[in-house]
Amino acid sequence: MKKAGGAEKKRVRRSSGAIQNGGRDSNSDTPPRKQAIQKDLFQLFAEKVRDHKDLVSRWAVLQETRVEYFRGKDFVRFLRNHPELKDILESDRNLEAEDIADVLLRKNLLVRCDRVVKTLRPGKKKLSTWPAHLEIFPDQVFSENDAFFAWTFVKRRPLWQTLLSFFWPVVTLAICLFPVYPHRCKLLILYSCLGVLLLFLSLLVLRGAIFGALYIILGKRVWFFPNILAEEATLRELFRFWPQKDEEERPKWTTRVFYAAVGVLVILLLRHHAPDEAARARYQKRVSNIIDDVLEWSPRLALSGMMENLQPVVNATEASNATEEGVTPPDGMGAETITEQDEAEVSENLENTDENLDNSEENLDNSGEQKHDI
């Protein structure tokens, strides 16, 4: 009996010492190494879910920081459609979507957000489905009802972004060296840029015309390529063709008639004040001259033009210095210029004296005729 009691006392002491030293019992279910593995597994699960294209997400501004967020109901639907992603969690694969989201919130991989604007705007029936500005929700608990969740970790940068950041300085230097390109390269770049600009402007005009026609005729607001002018849209959202559902009220027929009259009036004013053929030709000539100056510029022509402009100035200064010092300029350049100037002045003086003599003779003849008449 004493031996058994002594053994139990040693076990109690060992267990108490282990609790004091390690902060936990040696017979606990989850050792610290396993807890670290679970944390890494949830991190890996969060990265896989974020990179998956079936999870609908958007970008918004959260406290002056752009974040990627999703809705709670979309997260539950996503895990219901893709249960194979739960295999990453191994022992926690049987957890529900709400429990997994709560674990992600506790591990600071997610943060629950709320919309900043909580009041309806004039003319709208409900709040925006995807708000552009968010704020942190005080209760960090998962919910499906009008709840938004933003990722807090930095997404892995793909390879193409790394290559783009490496080649971006090279592209900038190439743009700065455009004036020294060969003429064919300049033409190729010019026509390519003009084509892209014309395509972009034509697309804006076409989508505006379609919106105006459908708004006036059918009373519907339809914007094709709705994110083409959005500042916070991703590359995938930028080229989305089909518009979203119109959430605003249908406009009244008086409003549609008013906008139709304004459109017709604007078209008539533009047609009346359109430039004529002569003004168009002058503008085209001016623009073509500017483009030709840019395309035909080269360092060799620029240097030759500078030398031609500097040559007469150099000759004049050399000639003036030579005459002041009484030394003949080299090669007779200054002497030729001086003699030519002197000859020109002498010829002008002789012509002036001849004209004066002719005038005096005419005056004498006139006076003689007057005397004879008297």
Side-chain angles (χ1 to χ4, degrees):
M1 294 296 291
K2 292 182 180 180
K3 292 182 179 180
E8 290 179 358
K9 289 181 180 180
K10 289 181 180 180
R11 289 178 183 176
V12 172
R13 290 176 182 176
R14 289 177 182 176
S15 61
S16 62
I19 292 172
Q20 291 177 359
N21 296 329
R24 56 187 307 280
D25 193 0
S26 59
N27 296 325
S28 179
D29 296 332
T30 55
R33 183 175 299 177
K34 190 173 181 180
Q35 287 184 354
I37 293 174
Q38 288 180 354
K39 183 178 180 180
D40 295 336
L41 292 178
F42 278 101
Q43 175 75 27
L44 182 60
F45 173 80
E47 293 177 357
K48 290 290 184 181
V49 171
R50 184 175 183 179
D51 293 335
H52 206 286
K53 61 181 180 181
D54 290 342
L55 179 62
V56 183
S57 61
R58 294 291 187 274
W59 287 87
V61 178
L62 175 63
Q63 295 181 354
E64 301 180 357
T65 304
R66 295 186 72 250
V67 295
E68 186 179 5
Y69 73 100
F70 58 88
R71 298 179 298 183
K73 57 182 180 180
D74 294 333
F75 183 76
V76 175
R77 188 184 304 114
F78 171 77
L79 290 183
R80 190 182 300 118
N81 296 332
H82 299 277
E84 68 277 1
L85 292 176
K86 293 183 180 180
D87 296 337
I88 302 175
L89 302 177
E90 295 180 358
S91 60
D92 296 327
R93 65 170 62 93
N94 295 324
L95 293 177
E96 297 294 333
E98 294 82 358
D99 299 332
I100 295 175
D102 289 333
V103 175
L104 294 177
L105 288 171
R106 288 197 301 269
K107 294 180 178 296
N108 293 327
L109 296 173
L110 286 178
V111 60
R112 183 176 176 179
C113 306
D114 193 9
R115 61 179 77 245
V116 175
V117 180
K118 301 180 180 63
T119 57
L120 290 174
R121 293 182 180 179
K124 286 193 174 183
K125 298 179 180 179
K126 59 180 182 179
L127 295 173
S128 177
T129 306
W130 297 95
H133 298 273
L134 299 173
E135 61 182 4
I136 297 178
F137 194 74
D139 190 9
Q140 294 294 315
V141 180
F142 182 79
S143 176
E144 298 185 35
N145 302 324
D146 197 23
F148 306 98
F149 300 89
W151 302 104
T152 58
F153 60 91
V154 179
K155 190 177 181 181
R156 288 183 179 180
R157 180 179 296 180
L159 180 60
W160 67 270
Q161 289 185 359
T162 305
L163 296 177
L164 182 61
S165 62
F166 176 74
F167 286 110
W168 188 249
V170 180
V171 175
T172 305
L173 182 61
I175 293 173
C176 296
L177 294 177
F178 175 78
V180 298
Y181 284 1
H183 189 264
R184 292 183 179 179
C185 294
K186 289 182 180 179
L187 289 177
L188 179 62
I189 294 172
L190 177 65
Y191 289 135
S192 301
C193 295
L194 289 178
V196 173
L197 182 61
L198 182 61
L199 177 63
F200 187 73
L201 293 178
S202 301
L203 183 60
L204 292 179
V205 173
L206 179 62
R207 67 193 293 268
I210 293 175
F211 175 82
L214 295 179
Y215 183 84
I216 293 172
I217 297 173
L218 302 178
K220 295 183 178 180
R221 303 173 181 85
V222 180
W223 284 109
F224 293 98
F225 292 102
N227 298 322
I228 194 171
L229 298 176
E231 297 179 356
E232 300 174 354
T234 59
L235 190 63
R236 183 179 60 183
E237 297 174 354
L238 187 63
F239 293 98
R240 189 181 62 183
F241 175 76
W242 194 250
Q244 294 179 350
K245 186 178 179 181
D246 188 11
E247 299 177 354
E248 299 182 4
E249 295 181 357
R250 189 172 183 178
K252 299 179 180 179
W253 67 271
T254 54
T255 306
R256 293 157 57 187
V257 170
F258 172 76
Y259 282 114
V262 170
V264 172
L265 181 61
V266 170
I267 293 173
L268 293 177
L269 289 176
L270 292 176
R271 184 177 179 182
H272 179 71
H273 294 284
D276 54 359
E277 186 66 23
R280 187 196 63 79
R282 288 196 302 270
Y283 181 75
Q284 182 179 2
K285 184 177 180 181
R286 189 184 307 168
V287 173
S288 63
N289 291 334
I290 296 172
I291 295 175
D292 292 338
D293 292 339
V294 174
L295 293 178
E296 296 177 358
W297 186 92
S298 65
R300 185 178 301 175
L301 294 177
L303 291 175
S304 62
M306 291 174 61
M307 295 302 295
E308 290 176 359
N309 293 330
L310 291 175
Q311 191 68 28
V313 177
V314 173
N315 292 336
T317 54
E318 289 179 355
S320 62
N321 293 331
T323 52
E324 290 177 357
E325 295 177 359
V327 180
T328 305
D331 298 334
M333 294 170 57
E336 291 179 359
T337 54
I338 293 171
T339 54
E340 289 177 358
Q341 292 179 358
D342 293 339
E343 289 177 358
E345 292 178 357
V346 171
S347 60
E348 289 180 359
N349 294 330
L350 290 175
E351 290 177 358
N352 292 330
T353 53
D354 293 337
E355 290 179 358
N356 293 329
L357 291 174
D358 293 336
N359 293 329
S360 61
E361 289 178 357
E362 290 178 358
N363 292 329
L364 290 174
D365 293 338
N366 293 329
S367 61
E369 290 177 357
Q370 289 177 0
K371 289 181 181 180
H372 182 70
D373 293 335
I374 293 171

